[in-house]
Amino acid sequence: MVQILLYILLVLCLFVFINDLKELHKKDIEYLKSIGREEIKQYIEKTFEKENYKIFKSFLDAEGKLRHIIYLSHSEWFKTPEHKWYDIYATNNGYCHELMEE
């Protein structure tokens, strides 16, 4: 009887431990994404001199570097708006951007 209780206790402890590890991993990824937000905003405003942009998606690439997909909208009066998509990524010297083809 005691052995069964010990096995149940062990399984419960492992379950709680694994759930806590999953939560810590999610928090770590969100923290990494939040670190680059202010730097990315400064880079976009300095490079494109616009404030009407939207960060569409942020993700980590295979090397563990943070990448952002953004679009800038440019509209003139009585014309349809134009959207340009950019991929912004961190390098050793700062940030770089590439225009994405639609």
Side-chain angles (χ1 to χ4, degrees):
M1 184 67 175
V2 173
Q3 290 177 345
I4 294 173
L5 289 174
L6 286 176
Y7 287 131
I8 292 173
L9 182 63
L10 179 66
V11 169
L12 287 175
C13 288
L14 285 174
F15 182 73
V16 169
F17 180 71
I18 290 171
N19 281 339
D20 288 345
L21 280 179
K22 286 180 183 179
E23 282 187 36
L24 285 175
H25 181 68
K26 287 179 185 177
K27 287 180 182 178
D28 190 32
I29 289 175
E30 289 299 320
Y31 175 72
L32 287 175
K33 288 181 182 178
S34 70
I35 288 175
R37 289 281 183 176
E38 291 300 320
E39 296 171 357
I40 283 291
K41 287 179 182 179
Q42 291 173 358
Y43 175 77
I44 293 169
E45 290 172 1
K46 182 180 76 171
T47 305
F48 300 108
E49 298 177 355
K50 290 187 176 183
E51 292 188 16
N52 57 346
Y53 64 90
K54 172 86 170 136
I55 297 177
F56 181 71
K57 185 174 183 178
S58 299
F59 60 94
L60 295 172
D61 63 359
E63 298 173 356
K65 294 182 180 178
L66 191 61
R67 297 179 77 102
H68 301 281
I69 306 293
I70 67 162
Y71 71 86
L72 299 171
S73 63
H74 179 272
S75 60
E76 295 180 19
W77 215 43
F78 289 116
K79 292 186 179 180
T80 59
E82 297 178 4
H83 298 287
K84 293 185 180 179
W85 293 81
Y86 289 94
D87 180 17
I88 299 177
Y89 54 93
T91 61
N92 293 337
N93 299 331
Y95 290 98
C96 291
H97 66 276
E98 295 178 2
L99 180 64
M100 298 176 66
E101 295 182 17
E102 295 181 17

